[in-house]
């Protein structure tokens, strides 16, 4: 078991967390007992006992046959509590509304989590169909505006990205470290990131790191259909989002007294 600060991990707790994360990652694809046991390297009997315990607690659900398993409703309760109790999310919400009203586009707030960014809040545009982003969804940090804005806040030698070829989301996603690093150099020079159909085909994004932490862990972005992204509209998106970033950073500066969560 891994150790942190000299404290030995609890095997049963680690196994429970691993199971819940595995079920959550499968989304709408329920799993069978044998699949879960094999994936986590746990004896079938032990996995069954753990699943039954979590079903009784509401963290896992099963179908009427008792052979398929998925994430339970308690996970939603906990996730909602995380968002409601986070001072950064709470403080940013009215400014996300302001950006959405000013631009008529989809606005996101996301947080870096390992190799990925996780969406914390979204204000959807009414002008075009919903994109793939949803609160709680994870996207590889190298693949879009939010992640690239946050990666650019870190030295190239300390980027939280996997080794080897990078996984593409579209034909435009960076798959080589060299092209990603060149892009990040441009982000640092401009002060914001640009996603040209790298996450979703037909959608461009503009990302802005929120620098109330150093290095930044949160970012905001604006998504726009490329079919109506004129030079004039792009300039307005950048101007409005820069202003929104400044407002959020001022509210959540170290002097604001907001908790310093780690």
């Amino acid at each position: 078991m891994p150790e942190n600060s000299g404290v030995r991990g609890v095997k049963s707790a680690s196994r429970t967390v691993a199971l819940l994360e595995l079920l959550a990652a499968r989304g709408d694809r329920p799993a069978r007992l044998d699949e879960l046991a094999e994936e986590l390297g746990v004896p079938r009997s032990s996995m069954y006992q753990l699943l039954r315990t979590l079903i009784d607690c509401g963290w896992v659900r099963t179908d009427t046959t008792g052979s398929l398993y998925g994430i339970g409703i308690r996970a939603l309760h906990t996730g909602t509590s995380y968002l409601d109790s986070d001072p950064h999310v709470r403080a940013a919400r009215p400014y996300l509304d302001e950006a959405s009203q000013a631009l008529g586009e989809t606005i996101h707030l996301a947080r870096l989590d390992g190799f990925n960014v996780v969406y914390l809040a979204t204000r959807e545009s009414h002008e075009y169909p919903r994109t793939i982003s949803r609160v709680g969804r994870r996207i590889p940090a190298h693949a879009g505006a939010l992640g690239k804005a946050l990666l650019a806040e870190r030295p190239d030698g300390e980027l939280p990205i996997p080794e080897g070829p990078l996984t593409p989301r579209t034909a435009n996603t960076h798959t080589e470290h060299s092209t990603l690093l060149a892009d990040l150099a441009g982000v640092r020079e401009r002060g914001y990131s640009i996603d040209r159909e790298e996450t979703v085909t037909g959608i461009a994004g503009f990302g802005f790191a929120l620098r109330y932490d150093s290095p930044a862990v949160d970012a905001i972005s604006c998504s726009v259909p490329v079919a109506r992204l004129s030079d004039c509209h792009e300039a307005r998106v950048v101007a409005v989002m820069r202003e929104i970033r400044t407002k959020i950073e001022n509210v959540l500066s170290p002097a604001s007294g907001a908790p310093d969560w780690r």
Side-chain angles (χ1 to χ4, degrees):
M1 294 295 294
E3 295 186 9
N4 296 299
S5 302
V7 179
R8 185 173 178 81
V10 179
K11 185 175 182 179
S12 59
S14 297
R15 180 176 291 177
T16 300
V17 171
L19 171 60
L20 293 174
E21 290 184 342
L22 176 58
L23 290 174
R26 292 179 64 90
D28 61 355
R29 297 180 298 111
R32 296 185 180 276
L33 173 61
D34 290 342
E35 293 178 288
L36 297 171
E38 181 178 357
E39 180 73 19
L40 298 180
V42 175
R44 192 175 185 277
S45 59
S46 299
M47 178 56 68
Y48 180 75
Q49 292 174 5
L50 178 56
L51 285 167
R52 292 311 312 177
T53 300
L54 293 174
I55 289 170
D56 291 342
C57 296
W59 282 93
V60 171
R61 59 180 173 175
T62 188
D63 69 337
T64 55
T65 69
S67 61
L68 297 175
Y69 302 93
I71 198 72
I73 196 169
R74 289 289 179 181
L76 173 62
H77 295 168
T78 301
T80 301
S81 176
Y82 176 89
L83 294 174
D84 290 343
S85 64
D86 190 285
H88 297 161
V89 176
R90 187 167 57 247
R93 281 172 176 156
Y95 300 105
L96 304 182
D97 293 335
E98 182 180 337
S100 178
Q101 292 166 8
L103 296 170
E105 305 293 356
T106 298
I107 310 298
H108 304 293
L109 169 69
R111 180 163 296 163
L112 189 65
D113 179 33
F115 296 155
N116 305 289
V117 292
V118 179
Y119 288 92
L120 301 179
T122 293
R123 300 294 183 266
E124 296 280 0
S125 169
H126 299 296
E127 301 299 322
Y128 60 94
R130 289 170 177 253
T131 63
I132 63 167
S133 57
R134 293 290 186 277
V135 172
R137 185 179 293 275
R138 300 165 68 86
I139 299 294
H142 69 272
L146 289 159
K148 292 194 298 181
L150 292 168
L151 292 179
E153 295 292 303
R154 292 153 173 80
D156 286 349
E158 300 177 11
L159 297 180
I161 54 176
E163 297 180 0
L166 302 171
T167 303
R169 302 279 304 188
T170 72
N172 296 319
T173 309
H174 290 294
T175 57
E176 300 294 334
H177 286 240
S178 58
T179 61
L180 175 62
L181 295 180
D183 192 345
L184 296 182
V187 175
R188 296 179 186 113
E189 183 176 350
R190 282 190 306 270
Y192 63 93
S193 65
I194 302 176
D195 165 2
R196 305 285 187 190
E197 301 184 81
E198 296 170 37
T199 308
V200 181
T201 301
I203 300 294
F206 303 87
F208 301 77
L210 298 172
R211 295 164 178 156
Y212 42 69
D213 288 314
S214 182
V217 295
D218 294 346
I220 55 174
S221 73
C222 177
S223 297
V224 186
V226 295
R228 57 186 180 84
L229 183 61
S230 64
D231 290 344
C232 181
H233 189 42
E234 179 170 330
R236 173 161 169 72
V237 167
V238 171
V240 169
M241 294 300 289
R242 275 178 166 155
E243 182 180 352
I244 294 298
R245 169 169 64 182
T246 298
K247 290 181 177 181
I248 296 174
E249 288 176 343
N250 287 341
V251 170
L252 289 169
S253 67
S256 69
D260 184 17
W261 292 105
R262 297 298 179 193

